[in-house]
Amino acid sequence: MGQVFRVERECTSKDKHSLEVVYGWSSLSQKHCSPQRLAQVIRAHWAVENRLHWRRDATLREDHCGVRLPPVAQMLAVLNSLVLSLMDLHHVPNVARQLRRFASHPNEALAWVLDF
């Protein structure tokens, strides 16, 4: 084991505020990974979690999908990645709102996909 760490983080959402204390360990020694670098690595991990996984779970509801066949689940994951990539490409600030718009205006969605 390289190092053990303790992270305190404040979480604020619309109407909730909390303080979390999290403990962890890393195989990287302090010689190879300073506390400042370790903090950057932890932040980068949570950036991925918040940017990608949360959008997939909350907006695209991947966790609620009842598909159990691995090839079908993998194809849905690829399609979800494509949707999120297109949203990023077009600088969409609210994916859920854009999906609702496309649901009621499918021709816009098609034009949008074809407009690379």
Side-chain angles (χ1 to χ4, degrees):
M1 180 176 1
Q3 46 186 316
V4 176
F5 58 88
R6 177 178 189 243
V7 176
E8 290 183 20
R9 49 181 172 235
E10 290 185 54
C11 301
T12 304
S13 62
K14 292 179 185 173
D15 57 346
K16 288 197 292 186
H17 183 79
S18 63
L19 179 66
E20 293 180 349
V21 177
V22 180
Y23 296 90
W25 68 89
S26 170
S27 60
L28 301 170
S29 68
Q30 274 192 327
K31 179 180 176 183
H32 292 101
C33 186
S34 69
Q36 293 81 9
R37 177 67 183 130
L38 187 58
Q40 290 174 340
V41 170
I42 292 168
R43 281 189 205 101
H45 166 78
W46 283 105
V48 169
E49 181 67 29
N50 292 332
R51 177 82 175 127
L52 178 63
H53 298 293
W54 186 86
R55 291 192 322 160
R56 295 176 81 98
D57 295 342
T59 305
L60 301 177
R61 299 184 54 83
E62 271 192 355
D63 288 350
H64 290 63
C65 181
V67 172
R68 297 291 174 247
L69 295 171
V72 177
Q74 288 174 337
M75 181 53 64
L76 286 174
V78 167
L79 290 173
N80 283 341
S81 295
L82 177 65
V83 166
L84 292 175
S85 294
L86 285 170
M87 297 288 180
D88 289 343
L89 182 68
H90 287 276
H91 306 288
V92 172
N94 188 322
V95 173
R97 182 184 307 142
Q98 191 67 44
L99 290 175
R100 288 190 300 272
R101 172 76 183 175
F102 286 159
S104 61
H105 299 86
N107 289 337
E108 283 182 25
L110 182 60
W112 206 65
V113 168
L114 297 176
D115 180 38
F116 270 94

